[in-house]
Amino acid sequence: MDELTWLCAILTDRPDYEEQPPACDPAARAARVAAAEVLDGASALLMDLRGDVGPLRLSVERLQVALAAMEASSTARLPVDQPVGESPAEIYTFISTLDFSFRALELGFAVAQIAGNVELAAQAWQRGWPDRLLGREPGALAKPLASARERASAHLGWSSVWLHNSVRGAIGLAIAVLLADVTSVQHSFWVLLGTLSVLRSNALNTGQNAVRAVLGTVLGSIIGAGLLQVIGHHGTVLWLLLPVAILIAGIAPAAISFTAGQAAFTVTLVILFNIGQNPDWHIVLLRIQDIALGCGVSIVVALFFWPRGAAAAVDKALAGAYTDAARYLSGAVAYALGHCDGSTSTPPAVEPVAAQSREAAASARRLDDAYRTYLAERGAKPLSLADTTTLVTGVVGLRLAADSVVALWEKTGRCHAMADKSAAHNAILEAADSVTGWYRGLADSLGGRTPIPAPVQLRPEAAARLVDSVRTDLIDSDGQATATAVRVIWTGDHVDVARRLQPELAAAAKVSVLH
């Protein structure tokens, strides 16, 4: 869904041409048609996950061929032999020569990502039961142990909601066990049950549930004691009432309320513990005592370990996700420009930027967990769901922009342009630094340390240096543009995509910080 949202943003983000738009690029049109065929194939496979994945794979291959042909065509279309003035309009007109092809490239990459996920979903659906039981991912590049280690490492930091909940629940149960042992209660498991049943992600909700749990237990105890007085020694009647009580206890929390569920569960326990024995209504007093003890433990644990709930965790997770995603985009741009570094004869290693990609993905998983926990909390939401969702999906857009840069260069060898002769590097690095710096500032703002930064504006002087570099340094001996020139311009376009996200994110962040 995140990638489909990103795809919709690509399709709707169309430039406003003040004059006649550039001439249509037939190769870009062919790439768009191929992307549409991939989407049709993905849609058909989603309608029936038991279908053959072969046609979808073939359509993706045709899309890749069309994108490669478009890159070659774009190289020939770049007018490096034509003079370019110094005005912003003339500079951006030169760059806009590749606008249609870049948007087709961006569209093709997004569609390929979606198709890959659909194919993976179909393969997972078609697995045999042994593979499902063992959790084997179809077509996984990493070994199961390495994949499990990578996913587990994402939750070893204190910012992880999973780790937070696990530690809090473990400490709560440990305290409950200790109190049950010290007080020598007759049914200590009720203390543990009471602790687990009311412990929520913030102190307020925990306290409210504790009150409801005790109230429901008291009501259930009164009803249970009244039943015992009416039924007396008729054990057969208790057997007949047991399934009815279990049924009501099962549906009451969802159909009526948490309080009704606690009352029905207490009645069930009263019936269960008195079957085959002399009626003893004193058990209801023990039930009230143990539940109250467990609720008290939950309130103390909630106050100390998560007083504000998941809202604060979402802000921290957003800040961490934007920081790591911005670092990944910076690393992706450095990796791209490293292909034109004249100090070495080999292309840059992909492992450093791959490690940054994994860190950004881990932060995104922690953010997803925090946001799910926040949505699951009962009561009014202090944060605007629409604005918070905008911020969450913004992380996806930033990561996908970095993914696009890496995908553009990862199958490319070294180019012949020397870094010290190419102003394109400085222009793109300057643009990338200002864009990623804004996202780091946004992360600080979400952490409550600084105000929301103003979105980065277009800088004509940087674009002018890029154009000048393309026309002087990134051409071959015949004075024609090279494929490297096209990829350099497209790299700058990917950075600009991340810049264009900023106004909407800034507006959402202002509302979020105010709340």
Side-chain angles (χ1 to χ4, degrees):
M1 290 305 301
D2 288 335
E3 288 168 348
L4 287 173
T5 301
W6 182 46
L7 178 61
C8 291
I10 293 173
L11 294 173
T12 56
D13 184 20
R14 303 179 63 182
D16 295 326
Y17 297 108
E18 296 182 357
E19 300 178 359
Q20 186 70 18
C24 181
D25 184 352
R29 180 186 181 279
R32 282 178 164 84
V33 172
E37 292 177 353
V38 172
L39 286 176
D40 282 339
S43 174
L45 190 56
L46 277 176
M47 293 295 291
D48 182 12
L49 289 175
R50 296 169 296 181
D52 183 12
V53 300
L56 180 60
R57 289 178 181 173
L58 290 176
S59 62
V60 172
E61 292 175 2
R62 288 194 292 268
L63 172 61
Q64 298 299 341
V65 171
L67 291 175
M70 183 186 68
E71 181 176 332
S73 172
S74 299
T75 302
R77 287 168 58 87
L78 196 61
V80 294
D81 57 339
Q82 299 178 6
V84 179
E86 298 182 356
S87 69
E90 293 175 299
I91 293 170
Y92 288 118
T93 297
F94 178 89
I95 296 178
S96 68
T97 305
L98 300 179
D99 186 70
F100 284 160
S101 57
F102 168 71
R103 292 178 183 276
L105 174 75
E106 190 180 18
L107 172 66
F109 179 77
V111 169
Q113 295 290 104
I114 294 169
N117 279 334
V118 172
E119 179 182 345
L120 183 61
Q123 290 176 327
W125 186 270
Q126 296 171 13
R127 288 177 301 174
W129 283 110
D131 289 339
R132 292 192 182 192
L133 184 63
L134 296 175
R136 289 176 178 168
E137 180 180 350
L141 298 178
K143 294 182 178 179
L145 183 59
S147 179
R149 183 169 60 248
E150 177 182 329
R151 291 179 179 273
S153 63
H155 298 286
L156 293 180
W158 184 242
S159 59
S160 169
V161 172
W162 276 17
L163 181 65
H164 203 155
N165 281 335
S166 300
V167 172
R168 183 190 55 171
I171 292 178
L173 287 177
I175 296 175
V177 170
L178 177 63
L179 287 179
D181 183 60
V182 170
T183 57
S184 300
V185 295
Q186 186 172 351
H187 297 287
S188 58
F189 74 92
W190 284 354
V191 179
L192 306 183
L193 186 63
T195 302
L196 283 178
S197 63
V198 303
L199 190 59
R200 293 296 184 268
S201 59
N202 60 38
L204 178 61
N205 282 344
T206 298
Q208 291 175 344
N209 278 285
V211 172
R212 296 188 186 102
V214 174
L215 178 60
T217 302
V218 171
L219 292 176
S221 300
I222 295 174
I223 296 173
L227 284 175
L228 293 181
Q229 291 293 328
V230 173
I231 296 172
H233 295 277
H234 298 287
T236 303
V237 178
L238 291 177
W239 277 110
L240 295 174
L241 291 176
L242 181 61
V244 178
I246 293 176
L247 175 64
I248 297 175
I251 66 174
I256 306 176
S257 66
F258 179 71
T259 302
Q262 289 291 309
F265 184 65
T266 301
V267 173
T268 302
L269 289 179
V270 170
I271 294 174
L272 188 62
F273 275 82
N274 281 277
I275 289 178
Q277 302 180 21
N278 291 327
D280 183 9
W281 61 271
H282 293 88
I283 194 173
V284 301
L285 299 179
L286 298 176
R287 162 77 177 165
I288 295 174
Q289 167 192 294
D290 296 342
I291 287 294
L293 187 59
C295 290
V297 170
S298 296
I299 293 175
V300 172
V301 171
L303 285 172
F304 279 96
F305 285 90
W306 205 330
R308 292 179 54 198
V314 170
D315 287 340
K316 292 180 181 178
L318 276 171
Y322 274 111
T323 299
D324 289 340
R327 185 185 301 114
Y328 176 33
L329 180 58
S330 294
V333 172
Y335 167 75
L337 300 181
H339 286 75
C340 298
D341 188 353
S343 63
T344 178
S345 60
T346 59
V350 72
E351 180 53 36
V353 73
Q356 293 173 336
S357 174
R358 290 192 293 269
E359 291 174 1
S363 294
R365 282 196 289 268
R366 290 193 292 268
L367 172 60
D368 184 64
D369 293 334
Y371 193 42
R372 287 174 185 270
T373 302
Y374 174 70
L375 292 177
E377 284 186 349
R378 299 180 180 180
K381 306 295 183 185
L383 303 180
S384 167
L385 291 183
D387 293 311
T388 306
T389 301
T390 298
L391 293 172
V392 171
T393 55
V395 173
V396 179
L398 188 59
R399 286 179 54 221
L400 289 175
D403 287 340
S404 302
V405 173
V406 174
L408 182 62
W409 291 88
E410 62 182 348
K411 296 181 181 179
T412 305
R414 283 193 67 256
C415 63
H416 299 292
M418 301 294 289
D420 56 356
K421 295 181 180 179
S422 177
H425 291 71
N426 294 331
I428 293 179
L429 284 175
E430 180 182 339
D433 287 343
S434 62
V435 169
T436 55
W438 184 89
Y439 280 103
R440 286 190 289 269
L442 175 65
D444 291 338
S445 302
L446 294 171
R449 295 185 292 271
T450 59
I452 305 296
V456 176
Q457 302 297 320
L458 275 176
R459 304 187 65 178
E461 62 275 13
R465 289 200 302 271
L466 177 60
V467 170
D468 184 65
S469 174
V470 169
R471 298 183 65 249
T472 57
D473 300 334
L474 299 178
I475 58 176
D476 59 20
S477 57
D478 297 327
Q480 299 297 317
T482 64
T484 300
V486 174
R487 283 193 291 270
V488 166
I489 292 178
W490 281 346
T491 300
D493 287 334
H494 282 304
V495 173
D496 194 59
V497 169
R499 183 195 63 81
R500 295 200 301 268
L501 293 173
Q502 293 176 358
E504 184 179 7
L505 296 177
K510 288 180 181 178
V511 177
S512 178
V513 170
L514 288 176
H515 284 287

